[in-house]
Amino acid sequence: MALIPLSLARRLARPLQPLCALCAGGWLREADVDCWLRLLHPALRLNRVCARVDARQWVADDMLALRLRCNGNARGWRAGQHVQLYLAQDGVRHGRSYSLTAVAADGRVELAIKRQPGGRLSSLLLERVEVGQVLELGEAFGELRWPADGRPVLLLAAGSGITPLLGLLREALARGYAAPVTLLHQVRRRAQRAFVDELQTLAARHPNLQLRWALSGEPALPGEFAGRLSDERLAELPGEHLLVCGPRGFVEQAQAGWQAAGRGASLQWESFSPPAPLDGTGTVRLGFARSRQQAAGNTGQSLLEQAEANGLRPAHGCRQGICASCTCTLLAGEVRDLRSGALFAEPGQPIRLCISAPHGDVEIDL
Ligand code: FES
């Protein structure tokens, strides 16, 4: 039960700042302060972001849009970024990243959640989260931005990759972006096309927006593309800026085709898959200093996966090197960035566990 409305709870963020300083100085415990604040409103916290579920709407067969209103601690968020959403199950707190498809100045945001086969958290969110419930969120992260120069834009999305691009597209059109924009969404089945009604309404309202769908697991109808993205298809799609989002294979295909066609350096991408393990794995010794644990490891998998395989639970978010939640200090040894192949060996250097593989024996502050 709330003693004050959420709109008033949101406005308390600034007046509560002195309490943050007292907590930082060790005079108060943040958990105790939060207990008192929750009595005023279940979403009120000193520092953490909590949000009330205002609405839920299925936007595809396997995708739910959750409309939330955040407390006053969600600052500087942008549509197209991602945010960690936490839920406790059987006493264990689980977190996953979801894209912000809309962000408003009054704290209203929208997240789109796709059902993942075998995904415990997505199933819980899709089936059990109710209107009025309060959820905890992390900080927003992600660097995708709408191009600033007013030239034609090509948006390529596969699966849930539509969600950050939709957030950017909605805002750009609302601001009056007038250059041609083409959006291609690739899905396996027609029923997985997300936000179709809204996209068609946007296209009717903004003649500069062209929509295309590609089906990789069902016969295509007239006007739809059949099969996965290819260089030939990419060549048919206009645009001078490319924003691409989806699983790693899709993103790599788009990047390679765009660059091979010499279509310029204006390319932004995000992949929802963790980086691929390296070939030719050797055996190494892993030292987890704070846990006082030693283990045999390999040079192919990320340190995040290897720490988890050894029973540790490092903090993490996106698992793709974007959110920095898994950052940890390298104490000794050398690691390789799984995305670029770059080597890092400076003791005391922060590394992201999800994209770093050992390159020999390593010790990390975990
Ligand atoms: S989990 Fe997000 S950067 Fe590693």
Side-chain angles (χ1 to χ4, degrees), residues 77-81 83 98-103 109-111 140 163 167:
W77 290 13
R78 289 185 284 109
Q81 288 190 301
V83 71
Y98 295 102
S99 302
L100 289 160
T101 47
V103 175
V109 301
E110 183 187 81
L111 299 177
T163 55

Side-chain angles (χ1 to χ4, degrees), residues 316-319 321-324 326 354:
H316 65 272
C318 64
R319 303 184 80 98
I322 303 172
C323 70
C326 65
C354 65

Side-chain angles (χ1 to χ4, degrees), residues 222-247:
E224 295 173 338
F225 287 122
R228 295 172 190 275
L229 184 68
S230 61
D231 288 354
E232 294 70 38
R233 178 165 311 151
L234 190 55
E236 285 179 43
L237 298 167
E240 295 178 33
H241 292 285
L242 173 62
L243 281 80
V244 55
C245 198

Side-chain angles (χ1 to χ4, degrees), residues 141 304 315-327 352-355:
F141 59 90
L304 178 60
H316 65 272
C318 64
R319 303 184 80 98
Q320 310 153 41
I322 303 172
C323 70
S325 341
C326 65
T327 301
R352 296 182 186 194
L353 299 180
C354 65
I355 50 160

Side-chain angles (χ1 to χ4, degrees), residues 9 20 37 77 79:
C20 297
L37 295 178
W77 290 13

